[in-house]
Amino acid sequence: MNSDSRKRPLSDSGEFDDPTSTQSAKKCDRARLQSNIVMEGSPIQPHDGAPPFAAEESESDATSHLEQNLLALKAQRLRGYHQAVYIPPMAKASLRSRDEDHFSLMDKVQQFLESEREVMLILGDAGSGKSTFNRHLEYLLWTNYNNGDPIPLFINLSAIDQPNLDLVSKQLLMHNFDDDQILEMKQHRQIVLICDGYDESQQLVNLHDTNLLNREGQWSTKMVISCRSQYLSQDYLSRFIPQSGGQYGRPALHLFQEAVIAPFLRDQIETYVELYVPIEPRTWTTQDYMDKLAMIPNLMDLVRNPFLLTLALDTLPALTEGKKDLSTIKLTRVLLYDSFVVYWLSVNKRRLESITLSTDDREVFIQLLDAGFISMGVDFSTRLALAIFDKQGGNPVIKYNHLSDKTTWRSEFFGPKPEVRLLRESIPLTRSGNIHQFIHRSILEYFFSCAFFDPSTTTDHNEFTPQQYPGASVIRSLDTEGPLFKQDLLKEPSILQFLYERVPHSPVFKQQLLLAVELSKSDPGYSRAAANAMAILVKARVRFNGADLRGIKIPGADLFGGQFDSAMFQGADLTNANLTRTWIRQADFTDAEMTGAKFGVLPPITESCPVFCCAFSPDGTMLAAGLKNGSISLYDTSTWAKFVTLCGHTRRVTSVAFSPTGPWLVSGSHDNTVRLWDPQTHLSRTLEGHSNKVLKVIISPDGCRIASASVDATVRVWNSESGETELVYEGHERAVTSISWSPDGSRVASGGYDRSIQVWDPLTGAEVIKRQYSERHSILCVEFSSDGRWIISGGFDANVYLRDATNNAIQRTLASYCSNFNGVVVSRDGRWMATCHYDVVKLWDMETFTERAVWKDHSRFIKGLAFSVDSSYIVSCSLDQTIRRFELNTVDMNLVPHISWNPSKTDDTDHLEFVTGSNDGAIRVWRMTVDQEDQVRFYLVWGTHVFKMASHDTKIADTIHLSEHNRVFLVQGGADGHDPQSDTDELGDESEPWTDDEDGLDELKSRDVLKFSDELKKRLRQGSWKKKKLEMMDTSDDMMSEDESGGELESRGRYRLAGSEFEDDLNRYDEWERQDSPRDDSESADEDGEDGEDGEDGEDGEDGEDGEGRQVTEDESGGKYELASDLEDELTWCEP
């Protein structure tokens, strides 16, 4: 960036701010806002005339022709910028961040432009204001542009042919720069690319990489790129993070930044309304609008989306006219769009009635009125949306030329016929030159959804009214040429949302969907329609418990969270169907075709002996697994077929790693050797030097060096090309269990049984940071985070410690409430961390440091973890001889933190009940009481496990510490008149699942939850829970006393507090005594006795297991331990 512009940061007003001032994240300067401009796609008409901008200075004779053209482009772009209202958006750091943790998006972009980063991704829901912000950013950059500054270049990606190639040059050609000028800019100027609508461009590639941006001899750029969050997969960051050079380039996280536009706050909504009201004469005041927004249920939440706020303000007067009780109005997103379309077409109908039309136009207009002007407008818009998806694959930009497009499909909508012209000019469509598109992407998707089902009536009133329940004769035949039979709705989540919101209000539509499913039983031609129909019905929360679904054909259907208890699926085609989190108790799948069906956990891969380690190749095409018998299995990840077995080690393989720069891998073994392998030739080279077992091998980021850790208390650094030892690090006093290379290759972190974590230079062996020691426990794993910020460590105490990589000091402690922490990996994109604890795999969010998922599928000790290259799944390997894969797309990442209260209990001020769901698989009802001294007490009223039922209606949301055992999650959902006390212990088949009854819930909003959870955390950390808490209780309705229960939370009813899962844990880890110190037990076993084995051929008691495979827990003092089970799954010290 130009040095002057760096000293003068941009403000949202287009002026330079005082660099010493800080913009408030929560206040809007309303006077300043009124001089700005906004809401792209808004139906509000802008003021006449162009907004003011600084007059351009006269250019000297020395000004280049290029600079003159740039100033001309500046004037053109500033004149073309028209917005009616602009509210500076707030943003949060990522999709997982809370809405409350927001900051000024413009401030963050300014920091990005001044930094060394190359790509900034701006995410947001449809209508959140991404395009509006992008255009405003361009306006500010051009307003402050001076000769030689970086050149702002706004690019509508959907308007560029093949934006994956030569993107910058194509856009500059559209601005009439010649080849010589483009070459001059490429060689000497920096471009600020403002790329709008990645999702609309239908690209699946990394535009920064495919355009070779910031490579030698290529364009020097800063890229700001926006995308709708609904269209992102779990591995979306790979499409935006710049890659380092080379065939096996890794994501360059230090060059990337991300921000997610946050929903409007109430003061932003009010400011928007204040600026909206005076735009044109209105009878309503700001307060009138705010009152109506607050009085209509759910509307204030809907209009936190800026575009929906625009629609609501336009339609509110007509929507509320003549209605006395506004609380009876039911509004969803799709119904708001219905109302807006009626409003828009009504306004244009009145416009045509009030102006003088030609004779031909007047005759056509009368015919349109007779046919129903609004329904004709909806039909025209729907047919246009259909053509856009059919002919352009959903690309919203239509280019039309009257001469060249006379015979194309475009002439049907953009030709000169009076009927076409009148309708085209009356629908929510915009035009710029020869380019046409709907005013907002979501409007296009809305009209396309109308092609599935037309919500309008055929009456002259043309209102979108709820339909009466139809008889069988009313159900019209399905259009086999319609989009239900052709479109894959899984690729269009916004359209799917419009459709499933339509189902509760349109019984006809629901019956048509059910008809498509039924007809698929006898006609395979209905399979696509049936799959789409089931996806819509399941999302609409239609239950199929006990339904006769025999023989239905729904390949690829998304049934996520559907309710199918006791359903009959005999002979059904469920190929590639998504059955994750479905309710399928006692469902019959006899003879059903289920190839590729997904249940959230992929089937395990079984080996012939215990598996000790695993690693992916840098291109993700291979997985290597090291086995107890000394061999290494290589799997093709496209088919998961084993294609080769590498043999050479004489004892178990403890560690494998692929080179990041070439097609070779390295392995370490208990035979004291390190081997380098060529997977193609199967040849290996042996590196010898360790005097005891090798426990870990790693390769430097540049592939030039290998480091190996050993029980002999050394770490050896080898030259990967020559195989020679370059360095022997001898800083540890006992076995070195784990090592990790920093992402920049300048440091190595190591940890071991001497309880130290050491960080040292791999070239010199000098310690670069003061070593730190664990107070009581040996170190079993050490790992640098992908950005190099953290050193993650852990050991026998099961906690996950995050250390500052600059000083090795512990900054965060993540309690896992499990057994030994013996493995950790971080995803390449830096978003996720996975840890393993005996037979449990846990997924953590690296931004919020919260636990997001738990998998307990292994039956014995887990020895290795690996993230797939695209971070879409985790692989684990275990002594149970299996390799398992866990998909991250089955984990809900973006749920809003709500808590559901029992509405029948909320009238009593000192007696409240609420429901929670936790990752131990249980749902629990709690009672909160407040005594006379304002002391809050919490009682467990009822609880059950959900392993026997799915969790569709108990969605896991953000975390609070309701207890020290559970990472307890708030539940969005609640009871619909269901009495939990009447159920059996495990919620038997006769019981109804809990559902989200929108009429029966009073949800506590997230900002209140956070305040509430702090109190919970403080109050509930005081008690300690004993093993006796798991005893079956058959008490009266009276609460147990604190003395009887042994803690603060109390219980009643017939159930196990934490379910049978913990009873199994107790049987396995019962109360035990140990006289010897762990140095002679678990640790010395690793060093001297083959990790608990009885000689070389003994049992598999590896690293924390005894000879029979039971878990052993380390303690320094010896003595008697008792496993606290119910709400604190940790060891509680008792006097010996």
Side-chain angles (χ1 to χ4, degrees):
M1 298 288 290
N2 178 275
S3 59
D4 291 337
S5 64
R6 287 193 180 191
K7 295 177 182 177
R8 299 181 296 170
L10 293 174
S11 75
D12 283 303
S13 65
E15 301 297 332
F16 285 110
D17 282 340
D18 180 349
T20 63
S21 66
T22 302
Q23 182 182 13
S24 171
K26 294 185 177 180
K27 296 181 179 179
C28 297
D29 184 345
R30 294 176 180 173
R32 186 189 68 194
L33 286 174
Q34 295 194 25
S35 67
N36 292 331
I37 340 182
V38 182
M39 302 318 299
E40 185 213 355
S42 171
I44 304 168
Q45 297 300 315
H47 293 294
D48 292 334
F53 55 89
E56 299 165 15
E57 299 178 1
S58 60
E59 301 296 329
S60 66
D61 294 337
T63 303
S64 68
H65 182 55
L66 169 62
E67 198 62 36
Q68 292 176 10
N69 285 355
L70 286 172
L71 292 176
L73 176 61
K74 168 184 175 178
Q76 174 192 345
R77 297 303 294 174
L78 291 177
R79 283 195 301 269
Y81 178 77
H82 295 284
Q83 302 278 3
V85 182
Y86 182 76
I87 304 296
M90 310 305 293
K92 54 184 183 178
S94 77
L95 290 170
R96 289 109 56 208
S97 303
R98 300 179 306 170
D99 290 343
E100 292 77 12
D101 298 333
H102 55 244
F103 46 79
S104 165
L105 179 58
M106 188 60 74
D107 289 350
K108 191 63 67 173
V109 170
Q110 175 69 21
Q111 294 170 15
F112 163 75
L113 294 176
E114 295 176 353
S115 72
E116 299 301 319
R117 299 178 187 271
E118 297 178 4
V119 176
M120 181 167 185
L121 171 63
I122 298 177
L123 298 174
D125 294 336
S128 61
K130 300 177 297 297
S131 296
T132 298
F133 175 82
N134 286 340
R135 294 187 183 278
H136 192 69
L137 174 63
E138 182 203 21
Y139 170 78
L140 297 183
L141 291 175
W142 274 125
T143 299
N144 295 306
Y145 176 82
N146 293 311
N147 188 358
D149 281 352
I151 302 167
L153 196 61
F154 181 93
I155 302 178
N156 182 350
L157 290 174
S158 60
I160 299 288
D161 293 331
Q162 294 184 305
N164 56 308
L165 298 173
D166 214 10
L167 172 66
V168 183
S169 297
K170 289 176 180 177
Q171 184 65 34
L172 291 172
L173 285 171
M174 293 175 64
H175 289 309
N176 299 317
F177 289 92
D178 60 37
D179 291 341
D180 291 338
Q181 292 172 335
I182 292 175
L183 180 60
E184 182 179 346
M185 286 185 280
K186 186 174 185 178
Q187 293 176 341
H188 304 294
R189 301 296 292 272
Q190 185 183 58
I191 309 293
V192 178
L193 293 178
I194 306 172
C195 299
D196 189 60
Y198 177 86
D199 53 291
E200 298 178 17
S201 70
Q202 302 170 319
Q203 293 292 311
L204 299 175
V205 298
N206 190 316
L207 296 180
H208 183 277
D209 291 345
T210 59
N211 282 278
L212 304 177
L213 301 180
N214 298 312
R215 305 283 178 86
E216 185 176 355
Q218 302 296 327
W219 288 98
S220 172
T221 65
K222 291 276 192 175
M223 175 184 279
V224 177
I225 185 168
S226 64
C227 181
R228 280 193 289 180
S229 54
Q230 295 99 319
Y231 284 78
L232 299 176
S233 59
Q234 289 293 333
D235 61 335
Y236 74 91
L237 289 179
S238 63
R239 304 183 194 177
F240 303 102
I241 298 177
Q243 300 291 307
S244 57
Q247 179 182 2
Y248 300 104
R250 294 179 62 85
L253 293 173
H254 64 286
L255 300 179
F256 176 78
Q257 190 167 339
E258 179 182 12
V260 181
I261 295 181
F264 268 180
L265 302 172
R266 185 183 177 91
D267 65 339
Q268 290 177 298
I269 294 173
E270 187 170 358
T271 301
Y272 186 97
V273 176
E274 287 181 358
L275 299 178
Y276 168 86
V277 169
I279 289 176
E280 60 185 50
R282 307 179 195 277
T283 58
W284 281 22
T285 65
T286 298
Q287 193 58 49
D288 292 330
Y289 280 103
M290 292 302 298
D291 289 344
K292 301 303 185 294
L293 290 173
M295 293 172 67
I296 298 177
N298 194 46
L299 185 54
M300 190 63 81
D301 282 338
L302 276 177
V303 300
R304 295 186 69 195
N305 179 290
F307 186 68
L308 294 185
L309 175 59
T310 304
L311 304 191
L313 295 180
D314 285 342
T315 59
L316 266 178
L319 192 66
T320 58
E321 185 177 3
K323 294 182 173 63
K324 295 182 179 180
D325 186 3
L326 299 186
S327 64
T328 61
I329 298 177
K330 301 285 187 181
L331 269 186
T332 62
R333 177 171 173 262
V334 69
L335 296 181
L336 188 57
Y337 276 76
D338 286 347
S339 300
F340 170 74
V341 168
V342 171
Y343 160 79
W344 184 284
L345 291 171
S346 298
V347 168
N348 282 277
K349 175 185 171 184
R350 293 193 296 270
R351 175 182 60 82
L352 292 174
E353 289 173 334
S354 65
I355 64 176
T356 301
L357 299 173
S358 68
T359 302
D360 291 343
D361 286 356
R362 172 62 59 182
E363 182 179 345
V364 170
F365 180 54
I366 293 173
Q367 293 175 0
L368 290 174
L369 291 176
D370 291 340
F373 186 83
I374 292 180
S375 61
M376 292 297 292
V378 171
D379 176 71
F380 184 87
S381 302
T382 300
R383 288 188 289 110
L384 176 57
L386 263 175
I388 290 173
F389 275 89
D390 184 40
K391 304 297 185 180
Q392 299 189 162
N395 187 316
V397 174
I398 311 108
K399 298 178 181 178
Y400 176 76
N401 183 285
H402 286 293
L403 297 178
S404 60
D405 285 320
K406 282 183 178 180
T407 59
T408 68
W409 65 270
R410 299 176 183 87
S411 63
E412 179 184 351
F413 305 99
F414 301 97
K417 293 181 179 179
E419 176 185 341
V420 171
R421 180 166 41 78
L422 289 176
L423 288 174
R424 181 179 69 246
E425 293 174 353
S426 299
I427 66 174
L429 203 67
T430 63
R431 175 186 173 186
S432 175
N434 68 335
I435 294 178
H436 305 260
Q437 62 187 108
F438 283 99
I439 62 172
H440 196 269
R441 170 77 186 193
S442 63
I443 295 291
L444 165 64
E445 293 165 335
Y446 165 81
F447 282 120
F448 186 66
S449 75
C450 292
F452 290 78
F453 180 76
D454 183 359
S456 64
T457 66
T458 58
T459 67
D460 193 47
H461 294 89
N462 296 300
E463 295 289 346
F464 294 157
T465 55
Q467 315 237 344
Q468 299 298 315
Y469 196 88
S473 61
V474 181
I475 306 299
R476 65 184 181 183
S477 61
L478 296 171
D479 179 10
T480 56
E481 297 300 317
L484 189 67
F485 288 77
K486 295 181 177 181
Q487 192 70 24
D488 183 2
L489 285 179
L490 297 184
K491 298 178 180 179
E492 301 291 345
S494 184
I495 297 171
L496 182 61
Q497 181 180 355
F498 281 124
L499 293 171
Y500 70 70
E501 285 187 0
R502 183 77 68 195
V503 170
H505 305 282
S506 302
V508 171
F509 183 42
K510 178 179 177 181
Q511 290 300 317
Q512 288 180 351
L513 296 174
L514 293 172
L515 179 62
V517 176
E518 183 67 24
L519 292 176
S520 74
K521 295 180 178 180
S522 56
D523 188 348
Y526 279 79
S527 60
R528 168 61 67 84
N532 282 331
M534 285 297 290
I536 297 169
L537 292 166
V538 167
K539 289 287 186 182
R541 304 173 71 87
V542 175
R543 299 182 183 183
F544 292 89
N545 297 329
D548 182 1
L549 302 175
R550 290 176 291 183
I552 66 169
K553 298 174 180 63
I554 52 171
D558 183 10
L559 307 180
F560 184 96
Q563 300 182 33
F564 298 97
D565 287 342
S566 302
M568 294 174 281
F569 282 103
Q570 296 97 315
D573 183 358
L574 301 174
T575 305
N576 297 321
N578 182 11
L579 293 163
T580 304
R581 299 190 183 178
T582 50
W583 304 53
I584 51 176
R585 294 180 300 175
Q586 300 183 1
D588 191 342
F589 293 94
T590 304
D591 297 328
E593 177 56 58
M594 304 186 72
T595 303
K598 303 177 181 65
F599 291 89
V601 178
L602 298 171
I605 300 169
T606 303
E607 277 287 356
S608 59
C609 61
V611 189
F612 282 82
C613 53
C614 56
F616 281 97
S617 62
D619 59 4
T621 60
M622 289 185 288
L623 177 80
L627 308 182
K628 178 186 177 181
N629 62 13
S631 66
I632 300 172
S633 298
L634 295 183
Y635 291 88
D636 181 342
T637 56
S638 63
T639 62
W640 289 105
K642 184 191 299 186
F643 66 89
V644 71
T645 299
L646 303 177
C647 299
H649 286 294
T650 59
R651 298 180 69 182
R652 68 181 57 173
V653 178
T654 54
S655 182
V656 290
F658 278 92
S659 168
T661 59
W664 56 274
L665 70 151
V666 63
S667 61
S669 168
H670 278 193
D671 63 7
N672 304 353
T673 68
V674 174
R675 284 181 178 260
L676 278 67
W677 303 86
D678 184 332
Q680 304 302 322
T681 64
H682 310 168
L683 298 177
S684 69
R685 179 172 53 174
T686 303
L687 308 182
E688 297 181 330
H690 284 294
S691 61
N692 210 326
K693 295 180 279 293
V694 177
L695 302 180
K696 183 75 173 181
V697 291
I698 57 174
I699 303 174
S700 63
D702 60 7
C704 296
R705 293 175 178 81
I706 300 167
S708 56
S710 171
V711 174
D712 65 11
T714 69
V715 178
R716 285 182 172 263
V717 179
W718 316 77
N719 184 292
S720 60
E721 196 168 316
S722 66
E724 298 296 323
T725 300
E726 293 186 350
L727 175 74
V728 179
Y729 181 73
E730 299 178 324
H732 289 274
E733 299 176 2
R734 301 182 63 189
V736 184
T737 57
S738 185
I739 48 177
S740 178
W741 228 298
S742 64
D744 62 3
S746 64
R747 295 171 295 165
V748 170
S750 56
Y753 282 136
D754 61 1
R755 300 175 186 171
S756 71
I757 296 178
Q758 305 177 24
V759 183
W760 42 278
D761 187 326
L763 299 179
T764 65
E767 283 194 59
V768 295
I769 299 175
K770 182 180 179 181
R771 68 179 63 184
Q772 299 291 335
Y773 288 86
S774 169
E775 292 184 2
R776 297 180 59 188
H777 303 284
S778 298
I779 305 299
L780 297 181
C781 48
V782 173
E783 184 79 6
F784 273 99
S785 61
S786 299
D787 58 4
R789 178 185 178 189
W790 304 103
I791 298 173
I792 305 160
S793 66
F796 281 107
D797 68 345
N799 290 333
V800 181
Y801 297 101
L802 280 83
R803 300 171 178 271
D804 188 329
T806 62
N807 57 24
N808 208 3
I810 295 175
Q811 300 296 315
R812 288 180 176 269
T813 300
L814 309 181
S816 69
Y817 311 112
C818 287
S819 47
N820 298 351
F821 171 29
N822 55 285
V824 59
V825 288
V826 179
S827 62
R828 289 179 62 171
D829 59 19
R831 298 177 67 202
W832 309 109
M833 172 177 68
T835 59
C836 55
H837 313 258
Y838 191 68
D839 56 358
V840 174
V841 176
K842 294 198 171 196
L843 177 70
W844 305 81
D845 187 320
M846 283 297 285
E847 180 188 334
T848 62
F849 302 107
T850 54
E851 184 182 296
R852 305 304 302 219
V854 177
W855 294 281
K856 191 173 182 180
D857 293 85
H858 287 288
S859 61
R860 296 192 63 194
F861 213 97
I862 298 171
K863 296 304 299 174
L865 292 171
F867 269 102
S868 63
V869 173
D870 61 5
S871 304
S872 63
Y873 60 93
I874 303 167
V875 167
S876 61
C877 56
S878 166
L879 299 185
D880 63 10
Q881 303 183 19
T882 66
I883 300 169
R884 293 185 178 270
R885 296 159 291 167
F886 306 100
E887 293 181 298
L888 269 63
N889 60 11
T890 64
V891 180
D892 267 329
M893 303 298 179
N894 305 312
L895 296 175
V896 180
H898 282 220
I899 190 168
S900 293
W901 297 87
N902 185 341
S904 65
K905 301 294 185 183
T906 54
D907 293 335
D908 190 345
T909 57
D910 62 352
H911 181 178
L912 299 175
E913 287 186 358
F914 56 96
V915 60
T916 63
S918 71
N919 66 346
D920 67 351
I923 54 176
R924 298 182 175 89
V925 176
W926 304 86
R927 177 168 297 173
M928 181 180 74
T929 62
V930 182
D931 60 24
Q932 294 180 350
E933 298 179 354
D934 291 331
Q935 294 296 313
V936 180
R937 289 186 177 275
F938 301 92
Y939 304 93
L940 181 59
V941 177
W942 171 82
T944 184
H945 260 261
V946 293
F947 292 127
K948 295 296 182 70
M949 57 189 235
S951 57
H952 175 72
D953 290 313
T954 53
K955 295 179 180 177
I956 294 176
D958 207 358
T959 61
I960 61 171
H961 277 90
L962 193 57
S963 68
E964 283 296 335
H965 160 58
N966 293 321
R967 299 290 299 182
V968 175
F969 292 78
L970 300 176
V971 175
Q972 184 176 354
D976 52 351
H978 173 62
D979 180 12
Q981 293 294 342
S982 64
D983 284 342
T984 58
D985 295 345
E986 294 181 337
L987 200 61
D989 297 336
E990 72 278 7
S991 61
E992 287 290 322
W994 288 31
T995 60
D996 188 1
D997 185 329
E998 63 182 7
D999 295 326
L1001 294 180
D1002 179 18
E1003 292 178 334
L1004 185 67
K1005 296 301 181 284
S1006 57
R1007 59 181 179 273
D1008 300 317
V1009 169
L1010 296 174
K1011 178 179 178 181
F1012 182 57
S1013 64
D1014 289 340
E1015 177 65 19
L1016 286 173
K1017 192 185 302 184
K1018 180 175 68 176
R1019 294 289 299 168
L1020 295 175
R1021 280 184 169 176
Q1022 299 175 2
S1024 182
W1025 287 77
K1026 306 302 179 184
K1027 172 182 170 182
K1028 65 181 180 181
K1029 288 290 292 176
L1030 276 185
E1031 296 174 356
M1032 288 293 291
M1033 299 183 182
D1034 190 1
T1035 68
S1036 66
D1037 287 346
D1038 294 332
M1039 296 291 182
M1040 296 174 57
S1041 69
E1042 286 190 25
D1043 291 338
E1044 292 174 323
S1045 64
E1048 290 185 353
L1049 295 180
E1050 303 179 2
S1051 62
R1052 70 179 185 187
R1054 296 184 301 105
Y1055 57 92
R1056 290 191 189 281
L1057 284 178
S1060 58
E1061 181 77 4
F1062 290 102
E1063 184 180 22
D1064 296 338
D1065 290 343
L1066 284 181
N1067 292 336
R1068 185 169 52 181
Y1069 315 130
D1070 211 345
E1071 186 177 307
W1072 53 277
E1073 293 186 20
R1074 192 172 72 215
Q1075 301 300 327
D1076 297 327
S1077 74
R1079 290 176 63 94
D1080 299 325
D1081 227 352
S1082 59
E1083 291 185 11
S1084 59
D1086 257 346
E1087 293 187 52
D1088 307 315
E1090 194 69 28
D1091 303 332
E1093 291 187 1
D1094 183 12
E1096 291 188 26
D1097 300 316
E1099 294 295 317
D1100 306 320
E1102 175 74 5
D1103 292 340
E1105 290 191 331
D1106 63 11
E1108 298 179 4
R1110 292 190 300 266
Q1111 185 187 8
V1112 177
T1113 306
E1114 179 194 50
D1115 181 72
E1116 288 306 304
S1117 305
K1120 182 178 180 179
Y1121 276 75
E1122 180 180 26
L1123 185 67
S1125 299
D1126 174 49
L1127 295 178
E1128 286 190 24
D1129 189 10
E1130 60 183 12
L1131 293 179
T1132 303
W1133 172 251
C1134 301
E1135 292 296 329

